[in-house]
Amino acid sequence: MWNRNHNQSERKVMIGGILVLIIAMGIGRFAFTPIVPQMMEQGFIGEKEAGTLASANYLGYLAGSLIAAFYPPSRRRLFAIKSWLLVSVATTALVAAVESIPIWHVLRFVSGAASAFLFIYASSLVMDVWSLKKRASAAVSSLYTGVGLGITLAGLAVPFLYAAFGWKGSWWGLGVISLPGFALAWRWLRDVPAERTETAPSSPASLPAGRRYDLRQGWDGRLLAAYGLEGLGYIVTGTFLVAYAGRLPEAAAISSWSWVAVGLAAVPSGWVWSYAAERLGFRYALAAALAVQSIGIVLPVAFPTPAGVIGSAVLFGGTFIGIVTLAVSWGRALNPQRSGRTVGLLTAAYGTGQFIGPGAAGWLIAEAGEYATALFGAACIVAAGMLFLLAPLKERKSKQFLKG
């Protein structure tokens, strides 16, 4: 009976974690992308403001990830998750309450910080609970479906909310839509006692038995660098895909649906790339995911058609969560006893790139009057991350950044 109740509790924790990511990441963080064209159409913001608002969100994400990495909540992790979840819902809805660009920057900054805290704390909580059964990697793949589900939900809801209530209704509506998930996550999330996490498996055996996990000394620095380049490159498409599609004469009619395609492709992404890691090892699986994503980013530039836009959405959605899954799982394998700090440092590298990318791309788009240059540059940056991973590692002792 105890075991059955315990399994049920684990499942509830997983569902609660998925709901947290639906709200904080799929909605709180990424709903800006399908709403941006609406705000631009109404004349409230231009490309530069869209870029700086996105950068404000990712600056908050960076700040939150650094704080979470170096000042973990210890025994108050569950309280922190619930508190920041409330902040995430509130900052989504409150964008509609004002028409002030400076206040929008503040709200998006706070929302970004909330999404970082929730991503890191929820990831470490679910991994700690499920690592007791040596299923931490499978848990990561399942947990991160929440991002794709949230993106899909927002992508489906925003066009209808906009048609009925305008762009403000999109923000208000997403806040209201978040409330049922918020209530269930609040009820179902449970933490695991610290003494039990200390006895959890401390080796890569807690992950799927892949053939090559590349745990040689020095790979953690490569991982941080490649993950930072991914953050810098992917976020350009993550911010401007829908707006770019809306500017294409042939693809404007399906622009809002491109974000739904991103979300649907993202749902199984973690599982697909985790399987690839079992067959190829983390290094080559991650490099392959970066290669596929770079093709997806540049695809609508080469083929500015509905097929090119949807193809880009599928390749982009099918990789960016998979890349997160691979990086987090690899990082945890490098440092299993300090999963929160590891996820925090990786998220900080990712967040640094995310902060720089949208503002720079928004400025470039506004100055050039077109999106192609920014998207092509983003594809090159992601490809550079792939090449960085594939370059041979010199056999020498090097500092391990994720330790300590």
Side-chain angles (χ1 to χ4, degrees), residues 15-383:
I15 295 171
I18 290 171
L19 290 169
V20 166
L21 295 193
I22 287 174
I23 294 167
M25 304 291 288
I27 294 177
R29 182 174 164 204
F30 286 117
F32 185 66
T33 302
I35 300 177
V36 159
Q38 301 172 0
M39 299 176 75
M40 292 171 66
E41 182 180 331
Q42 295 297 312
F44 284 93
I45 58 173
E47 284 85 358
K48 287 183 179 179
E49 290 81 10
T52 58
L53 281 166
S55 287
N57 184 253
Y58 301 129
L59 179 60
Y61 192 82
L62 173 60
S65 63
L66 288 171
I67 293 170
F70 293 102
Y71 300 98
S74 186
R75 298 179 183 274
R76 297 177 63 81
R77 178 168 56 180
L78 185 59
F79 174 79
I81 289 173
K82 291 180 176 180
S83 299
W84 283 107
L85 192 59
L86 180 61
V87 171
S88 181
V89 174
T91 52
T92 294
L94 287 174
V95 172
V98 294
E99 294 184 6
S100 166
I101 290 178
I103 294 178
W104 286 342
H105 278 85
V106 173
L107 288 172
R108 296 307 292 160
F109 176 87
V110 176
S111 178
S115 63
F117 284 121
L118 290 167
F119 177 80
I120 294 166
Y121 296 160
S123 295
S124 62
L125 185 150
V126 171
M127 284 193 292
D128 286 345
V129 169
W130 283 72
S131 67
L132 300 174
K133 288 191 168 186
K134 302 185 180 182
R135 295 174 63 185
S137 185
V140 169
S141 301
S142 298
L143 176 66
Y144 293 168
T145 61
V147 182
L149 291 170
I151 288 172
T152 303
L153 178 61
L156 289 171
V158 163
F160 295 101
L161 291 169
Y162 179 60
F165 307 109
W167 68 267
K168 289 187 177 182
S170 296
W171 288 108
W172 282 122
L174 290 176
V176 172
I177 288 170
S178 300
L179 293 177
F182 170 82
L184 286 176
W186 189 286
R187 180 179 178 86
W188 284 351
L189 283 174
R190 295 288 184 274
D191 210 337
V192 42
E195 61 270 15
R196 293 179 66 191
T197 62
E198 289 170 1
T199 60
S202 59
S203 72
S206 62
L207 300 168
R211 292 185 296 169
R212 295 179 295 278
Y213 276 109
D214 295 318
L215 297 182
R216 294 179 300 174
Q217 192 175 29
W219 277 113
D220 49 3
R222 291 288 185 95
L223 173 59
L224 281 170
Y227 201 46
L229 289 170
E230 159 67 5
L232 177 60
Y234 102 97
I235 201 56
V236 176
T237 291
T239 302
F240 292 108
L241 175 62
V242 178
Y244 172 63
R247 295 285 186 91
L248 301 176
E250 293 184 40
I254 56 93
S255 60
S256 62
W257 294 104
S258 66
W259 199 240
V260 177
V262 169
L264 291 173
V267 172
S269 175
W271 289 315
V272 170
W273 290 104
S274 290
Y275 177 77
E278 291 183 10
R279 307 299 298 174
L280 303 173
F282 281 126
R283 177 191 178 193
Y284 292 109
L286 186 54
L290 291 168
V292 172
Q293 186 179 101
S294 65
I295 294 170
I297 292 172
V298 81
L299 190 62
V301 176
F303 302 97
T305 63
V309 169
I310 296 299
S312 172
V314 170
L315 293 181
F316 175 73
T319 51
F320 87 94
I321 295 302
I323 290 168
V324 173
T325 303
L326 292 173
V328 170
S329 298
W330 191 0
R332 191 177 192 278
L334 288 163
N335 193 13
Q337 293 294 340
R338 303 186 68 179
S339 62
R341 182 176 187 272
T342 298
V343 176
L345 286 173
L346 286 168
T347 305
Y350 196 66
T352 301
Q354 286 185 141
F355 165 61
I356 297 170
W363 177 85
L364 184 60
I365 291 165
E367 293 298 316
E370 46 85 18
Y371 288 80
T373 304
L375 290 170
F376 181 76
C380 291
I381 289 168
V382 173

